Amino acid sequence: MKVLGIETSCDETAAAVVEDGRRILSNVVASQVDLHAVFGGVVPEIASRAHQECIDAIVQRALDDAQTSLDEVAGVAVTCRPGLIGALLVGLSYAKGLSLALGLPLVGVDHILAHVYACEMAAPELQYPYLALVVSGGHTSLFRTDGPGNVELLGESLDDAAGEAFDKVASLLGLPYPGGPNVEKLARLGDPSAVDLPIPRCKRPFDFSFAGLKTAVLYKFRGVPGRRAPHVPPAAADLAASFQDAVASTLVRAIRRAVAASGCTQVAVGGGVAANGHLRARLGALREELGITLVFPPLRLCTDNAAMIAGLGYHQLVAGELADLSLDAAPTSRRGA
Ligand code: KG4
Ligand code: ZN
C-alpha cells in the first residue's frame, strides 16, 4: 500500500512515497535555508510563500522518483500539527485538494510523532517499548513508545528547544544560520570544560530547559549587565564547546533517568540536533556504561522530511483514523493544545 506524504510545517517543503509504512520509494526535500539565512532565523511569511511556490513540483518529483502515479496511491498523509500555521496550511490545503479531486483518503499526522516513527523506519530491529528523544529546532521531547504513534510523553522542553538554543548561541557568537552545525564546528577547536555553565534543572525529572543556559552563555560572552568589573570574555571556541557539552549533559541526564525509571533498554534519538557529533559521543559513552541499544536514524530521516509522515500516515490509514475536509492545522501538538 503506497502512501503519499506531504510536509510543510517549517522551512522544508517535502513530499515522499512510502510503501507499507517502511519502504521509502522517494523522499524529496526542498530546503528554504538560504531564504531565511539573511534574517538569522525562519520568517513565517516567507516560509509559507516558498512552500506555495514549490509544493506542486515537489509532489510531482516525489511521484516521479517513486515511479508511481496518483491512481496507485492509497492515501495522502499530511502534517497538520505542530508548526508554523501558515506553512502548515499550504501542505494541508494541497493535500485536501488532492483528496477531494481524486477521492483519496486523507490522514492528518503529528510531526513530532512522525519524528519518533522515523527511528523505527531506520531501525526495524527496534522493539517496543523504546525511548525516543526528538531533539530539533522546534522540539525537545522524550517519549516512551509502545507502537506506531502510540507514545507517552515523559518530558519536554519548558522553554527553548535544544536546536533553537544552538541557533541563538550561534547568532550571539556571530556564526551564520542555521547555527547548530556552525557551533559544532567552532566547538571542535575549544575545550568543553573551559567555561563553567549551569546544567539546567527542572522540577520534573525528564523535562528540559535551555533558556537559562543560553542567557548564561550571553553573560559569559558579553558580561553581566550592570556589573562594573572589567569583563574578559572567554575564547568563542571554548564557549561553544562548553555550551555544546552542557546541552549534551542535559539530554544524557534525562535519558539516564528514563532508562532507570522505565526499564527500557533501547533508545532512539532523532531530529536535526541528533546530527551533533559531540552529543553522539556522549550518548555512545552512556550506551557503553548502561549496556543499552542506541539508534540514530540517518540524517535524511533525522531532519524534517515527508517519508516519516507517509510512514506513520500508513499506520493511521490502516487503523481507519481518517480525516475529512474539516481537518485543521494547529501550532501545537494535541498533548499541549
Ligand atoms: O529537525 P530539524 O531539521 O528541523 C526542525 O527543527 O524540525 O532541526 C533543525 C535544528 C536547527 O536548530 C539546527 O541548528 C540543529 O537542528 N542542528 C544541529 C546540528 N545540525 C542541525 N544542532 C547541533 N549540531 C548539529 N550538528
Ligand atoms: Zn521537525
Side-chain angles (χ1 to χ4, degrees):
M1 191 189 273
K2 293 180 186 175
V3 172
L4 171 67
I6 296 177
E7 153 67 38
T8 62
S9 67
C10 191
D11 61 343
E12 260 102 25
T13 316
V17 178
V18 173
E19 194 169 40
D20 297 336
R22 276 235 194 265
R23 211 161 86 81
I24 300 173
L25 302 182
S26 63
N27 189 11
V28 181
V29 179
S31 171
Q32 304 172 0
V33 73
D34 293 344
L35 292 178
H36 301 288
V38 280
F39 301 100
V42 177
V43 182
E45 178 60 24
I46 292 176
S48 311
R49 283 169 188 254
H51 286 312
Q52 187 67 54
E53 277 165 20
C54 73
I55 188 159
D56 204 29
I58 295 300
V59 168
Q60 193 53 55
R61 232 185 83 197
L63 291 166
D64 290 349
D65 285 2
Q67 296 182 337
T68 297
S69 63
L70 275 170
D71 51 4
E72 293 171 74
V73 166
V76 182
V78 62
T79 308
C80 62
R81 60 170 21 116
L84 301 171
I85 205 78
L88 284 166
L89 282 171
V90 175
L92 191 54
S93 309
Y94 191 92
K96 282 182 183 176
L98 274 184
S99 163
L100 184 63
L102 303 172
L104 284 171
L106 178 69
V107 185
V109 176
D110 181 302
H111 177 90
I112 303 185
L113 298 189
H115 268 303
V116 173
Y117 183 74
C119 302
E120 296 178 32
M121 289 179 88
E125 68 274 15
L126 268 177
Q127 303 275 322
Y128 304 118
Y130 67 87
L131 296 174
L133 176 69
V134 178
V135 62
S136 70
H139 357 276
T140 303
S141 310
L142 182 60
F143 300 96
R144 176 196 151 108
T145 309
D146 285 287
N150 178 8
V151 301
E152 179 193 350
L153 179 69
L154 301 177
E156 61 190 337
S157 178
L158 304 177
D159 40 58
D160 293 350
E164 192 180 352
F166 265 98
D167 293 337
K168 287 177 177 169
V169 164
S171 144
L172 181 75
L173 298 177
L175 302 171
Y177 175 85
N182 291 309
V183 170
E184 179 176 9
K185 218 160 135 192
L186 181 62
R188 282 194 210 114
L189 308 172
D191 172 3
S193 60
V195 185
D196 190 23
L197 291 171
I199 306 299
R201 302 206 168 275
C202 298
K203 276 194 194 141
R204 297 193 317 160
F206 311 120
D207 280 343
F208 309 94
S209 165
F210 296 101
L213 177 60
K214 176 196 67 194
T215 306
V217 171
L218 173 71
Y219 289 172
K220 292 281 181 189
F221 197 56
R222 300 229 178 108
V224 179
R227 190 171 287 176
R228 291 246 172 122
H231 175 66
V232 183
D238 285 341
L239 197 48
S242 302
F243 161 75
Q244 181 176 255
D245 193 53
V247 173
S249 295
T250 311
L251 300 173
V252 165
R253 181 181 62 191
I255 290 180
R256 181 193 293 282
R257 287 175 176 166
V259 167
S262 68
C264 292
T265 55
Q266 301 171 93
V267 179
V269 184
V273 182
N276 186 276
H278 183 69
L279 175 63
R280 286 181 177 231
R282 292 282 313 270
L283 288 169
L286 187 72
R287 173 188 57 206
E288 297 307 312
E289 182 194 328
L290 302 182
I292 54 177
T293 302
L294 187 60
V295 168
F296 290 103
L299 207 56
R300 72 196 164 82
L301 286 178
C302 266
T303 52
D304 286 352
N305 67 87
M308 65 183 189
I309 305 300
L312 183 55
Y314 161 82
H315 291 279
Q316 295 180 216
L317 192 63
V318 168
E321 293 168 19
L322 301 186
D324 58 26
L325 295 181
S326 67
L327 177 65
D328 210 352
T332 58
S333 263
R334 196 185 296 280
R335 297 175 306 277

